[in-house]
Amino acid sequence: MTDRPLTLMAVHAHPDDEATGTGGILARYAAEGIRTVLVTCTDGGCGDGPGGVKPGDAGHDPAAVARMRRQELEASCAALKISDLETLDYADSGMVGWPSNDAPGSFWRTPVEEGAARLAELMRHYRPDVVVTYDENGFYGHPDHIQAHRITMAALEMTGQAPKVYWTTMPHSTMRRFGELMSEHQEGAPEPDPAEAAAMAEIGLPDDEVTTWVDTTAFSDQKFDALAAHASQGENIFFLRMGKEAFGELMGTETFVRVRDTTGASLPENDLFAGLR
């Protein structure tokens, strides 16, 4: 052991992504004295603008949205007690098929080697013991999530950093419960499209393929507050409509797939730092 603190690095695509899938672990491990580093790859400029104005609509200013979302990101980090925030500030690429995917400077269009080299410098500086990012499909196919996965895995190869590496996931049992809650909290909403429902059912993994289940129930209020800090995107954040109690019931455990380990910690596990302390 050295006097260097144990360090968790989470690599996310946009402002607000840090809260949804990893807000619990960021808050929990910060409370345990672990250094928590958040790397946010894009500026979030393809998010909703003031008053809910959408990208591509008159009055949507990506630069102004990015400035607003940076402030919200800092408020989220404060709620989660994140030690260090690093932003790569690539232009938000937008959803699959949007013209912004191929705009100059977009994260999706950035060569993987370039993004990886920048992230590798951060890894050399912080020397993370645990790195968390998305799987190769970016969890649900978002271009910027996929690119975050690519640069993270490439940076790890460049540096040889991190004894343990995880990808975020969701067990199918939780996805089913999520679907039920969406129906409960959206009274009068039309029946979901069968194709969309089938696609959602495929997100995540069967429960027995999830390697790591971390109890973050005690930090669910912080996680909710972190999501609420991203107020400009509230229309897109379904979880905020649930209220804190229902939110805590659904989102009180965060789940991952361990894809790299040098500690020999047995699976399944309930601690990202098993084998490191």
Side-chain angles (χ1 to χ4, degrees), residues 130-198:
V130 172
V131 171
V132 177
T133 192
Y134 315 100
D135 63 19
E136 60 266 73
N137 190 47
F139 185 58
Y140 68 98
H142 193 296
D144 286 331
H145 289 221
I146 293 170
Q147 189 75 332
H149 162 86
R150 290 173 176 171
I151 73 162
T152 302
M153 301 312 291
L156 287 164
E157 289 304 311
M158 289 178 181
T159 63
Q161 295 281 346
K164 303 184 82 175
V165 180
Y166 295 87
W167 296 342
T168 58
T169 193
M170 194 76 79
H172 284 169
S173 61
T174 301
M175 291 303 299
R176 286 192 296 271
R177 179 60 181 145
F178 176 56
E180 293 166 0
L181 281 171
M182 286 187 71
S183 298
E184 292 174 14
H185 288 268
Q186 296 186 31
E187 293 182 13
E191 286 296 315
D193 178 85
E196 291 182 3

Side-chain angles (χ1 to χ4, degrees), residues 1-7 35 125-129 161 163:
M1 298 293 291
T2 70
D3 58 2
R4 183 180 67 85
L6 285 171
T7 300
R35 188 176 199 177
H125 175 71
Y126 289 107
R127 297 166 60 197
D129 301 282
Q161 295 281 346

Side-chain angles (χ1 to χ4, degrees), residues 2 32 37 58 60 85-86 109 132 139 143 159 175 180 197 205 233 238 244 248 270:
T2 70
E32 293 179 7
V37 181
H60 187 277
L85 169 63
E86 298 283 354
R109 188 170 170 178
V132 177
F139 185 58
T159 63
M175 291 303 299
E180 293 166 0
L205 290 172
Q233 309 307 306
F238 162 77
K244 285 189 173 181
N270 59 13

